[in-house]
Amino acid sequence: MAETAQDEVVDLLVDLIRINTSNPTHPERPAAEWVAEKLDDVGIESQIIEAAPGRASTIARVEGADPSRPPLLIHCHLDVVPADASEWSVDPFAGEVKDGYVWGRGAVDMKDMDAMTLALVREWARTGRKPPRDIVLAFLSDEEAGGRLGAHYLVDNHAELFADCTEAISEVGGFSITLDEQVRLYLIQTAEKGINWLRLKASGPPGHGSMVHRDNAVTRLAETVTRIGSHEWPIVVTDTVRQTVKGLATVTGRDLDPEDVDSWMPLLGGAARMIGATIRNTTNPTMLDAGYKANVIPSKAEATIDARFLPGQEEAMLETLDSLLGEGVQREFLVQDIAVETGFDGPLVDAMAAALRAEDPAAHPLPYLMSGGTDAKSFSTLGMRCFGFSPLKLRPDLDFMSLFHGIDERVPIDGLKFGVRVLDRVLADC
């Protein structure tokens, strides 16, 4: 019997997890070559493009029935964040299968979508099926560090590969949130916050640690970091969040006011952790660096701030940040990238929603704004409408949001197979 996409998706994911692509210590080239081999096995030509030695992405194009139609882009990243094996209950790079899950770094972020996409296009190629329109596949490097050696590089230097694409799907969306046995929300990402990763620098005269020293760079920086980290950012309800709440009100039969966050946020269960970060800007201190000896007051101190802004809020956030900087503390950008937002409408959205309902009669698709960032930021600059859609039907007791960059990252096998079936329906109807 010919192997189907559902048959091989687990094996593909296991193999890919076992290729360590921790960014930046383990370049993606081995994974990019593995993807190219899997495509070549079924007659799909691809090319590998490096932005820097070893920092490789694999690009391919699957011919559709009507080449006159604008193609759909499916983009997935190959890199993962590092994992400390001592914190895990399994080897994070063993691709272990147990308890109905595939375990390992990248299982949900986002080698699951790599595997689902590969499994599906391989099955279609083996059976001679064609999508209604061309599909451009992009398996990308460097997403976890902002995409400068991945999507950004390709858009800046090889835009012709994607120039005729009008829509794209990728992470993070199409996953389920169980409200009860009869109702599951499936959040489809239509927007994401922008990124300002900032370095703060403070300077002052050095000195001996045993003496009175009132102009201390470390103290000045610490005071600024405390002000920024504890700042209470005001609630701002975007159009996307309003649509989410409107849909939630319809599903639950409740009268929900988008401005009254406490009335609807608890209904989202584990997803409230992420959605809660999409009603305000956020500025989290993440790194500190100062000094070289216990008894020496250093002349400089630095901190890193992970700042995320809502669509339309970047200027206001930076103005507030500047007001929180202490005297003698300067900021500079490490990574600066746009917010993205599109509507929850059109034939592709209809196809995604219909596919979810066909595979799960309890499905209620809703749009949402994601707190993190994806390679959609790059591809949206080419005029594409970008959606987060890596469909998974999740078990109600799984704390899905905690698995992103967390320990014991894992994805349910039945959820993977569900995702393959949903993607199959979408690509057949898009």
Side-chain angles (χ1 to χ4, degrees), residues 198-222:
L198 303 169
R199 178 183 287 122
L200 305 184
K201 293 183 175 182
S203 60
H208 198 288
S210 67
M211 301 181 184
V212 176
H213 200 94
R214 304 194 185 281
D215 189 9
N216 188 317
V218 176
T219 302
R220 187 181 303 120
L221 180 74

Side-chain angles (χ1 to χ4, degrees), residues 88-416:
W88 288 55
S89 63
V90 300
D91 181 342
F93 298 103
E96 188 169 334
V97 177
K98 71 170 188 175
D99 302 329
Y101 289 86
V102 179
W103 299 63
R105 177 59 85 216
V108 299
D109 187 14
M110 64 171 298
K111 290 182 175 180
D112 58 339
M113 183 61 170
D114 292 311
M116 289 191 290
T117 302
L118 273 176
L120 188 57
V121 299
R122 279 166 56 86
E123 180 187 331
W124 281 39
R126 286 192 298 262
T127 59
R129 290 177 64 191
K130 286 187 175 182
R133 54 172 164 164
D134 286 5
I135 304 293
V136 176
L137 305 173
F139 297 88
L140 302 164
S141 59
D142 200 43
E143 190 276 344
E144 295 292 1
R148 301 296 166 182
L149 300 177
H152 271 293
Y153 176 85
L154 291 170
V155 167
D156 291 343
N157 296 279
H158 299 279
E160 72 280 357
L161 296 172
F162 317 101
D164 51 351
C165 297
T166 54
E167 297 165 310
I169 61 172
S170 185
E171 57 176 354
V172 176
F175 57 91
S176 66
I177 299 172
T178 299
L179 298 189
D180 56 49
E181 292 182 0
Q182 286 75 42
V183 179
R184 273 179 290 277
L185 307 179
Y186 283 84
L187 299 184
I188 298 174
Q189 181 196 327
T190 59
E192 60 185 54
K193 294 172 82 171
I195 298 174
N196 282 330
W197 291 346
L198 303 169
R199 178 183 287 122
L200 305 184
K201 293 183 175 182
S203 60
H208 198 288
S210 67
M211 301 181 184
V212 176
H213 200 94
R214 304 194 185 281
D215 189 9
N216 188 317
V218 176
T219 302
R220 187 181 303 120
L221 180 74
E223 291 171 345
T224 294
V225 168
T226 299
R227 280 195 298 272
I228 291 174
S230 60
H231 181 71
E232 288 289 334
W233 292 93
I235 291 175
V236 177
V237 180
T238 62
D239 290 342
T240 298
V241 170
R242 290 184 186 281
Q243 283 189 289
T244 303
V245 177
K246 181 180 179 181
L248 188 60
T250 300
V251 170
T252 60
R254 302 189 186 189
D255 183 15
L256 302 177
D257 179 1
E259 305 291 342
D260 182 10
V261 174
D262 292 336
S263 72
W264 55 266
M265 188 70 71
L267 301 178
L268 294 172
R273 181 183 308 172
M274 178 173 63
I275 302 298
T278 66
I279 56 172
R280 53 171 54 88
N281 299 325
T282 54
T283 48
N284 286 309
T286 56
M287 298 172 67
L288 293 169
D289 184 23
Y292 57 90
K293 200 170 187 296
N295 63 349
V296 176
I297 297 169
S299 62
K300 61 180 181 179
E302 297 183 355
T304 301
I305 306 293
D306 183 348
R308 310 283 178 131
F309 58 90
L310 299 170
Q313 289 290 308
E314 181 176 22
E315 184 176 347
M317 184 189 71
L318 290 176
E319 288 178 357
T320 300
L321 268 173
D322 286 343
S323 72
L324 297 173
L325 296 179
E327 182 181 354
V329 179
Q330 290 81 39
R331 66 168 172 86
E332 63 183 35
F333 291 109
L334 295 173
V335 173
Q336 185 178 22
D337 217 335
I338 61 174
V340 177
E341 190 168 30
T342 190
F344 192 59
D345 56 9
L348 179 57
V349 169
D350 293 342
M352 291 188 289
L356 289 167
R357 294 189 185 105
E359 291 297 332
D360 182 3
H364 292 269
L366 296 178
Y368 89 105
L369 166 65
M370 191 180 75
S371 60
T374 74
D375 285 328
K377 297 183 185 303
S378 298
F379 293 115
S380 68
T381 65
L382 296 178
M384 295 182 214
R385 297 184 67 199
C386 296
F387 301 92
F389 190 71
S390 303
L392 291 171
K393 184 179 179 182
L394 301 171
R395 301 176 186 183
D397 59 345
L398 181 65
D399 186 1
F400 186 58
M401 289 300 127
S402 71
L403 300 180
F404 286 84
H405 299 188
I407 62 172
D408 285 343
E409 186 178 349
R410 62 198 182 276
V411 64
I413 291 172
D414 50 2
L416 277 175

Side-chain angles (χ1 to χ4, degrees), residues 28-49:
E28 300 87 350
R29 179 84 195 198
E33 291 177 347
W34 177 88
V35 169
E37 291 171 3
K38 294 301 178 183
L39 294 173
D40 185 64
D41 284 347
V42 294
I44 299 175
E45 295 183 359
S46 64
Q47 59 180 308
I48 295 176
I49 299 174

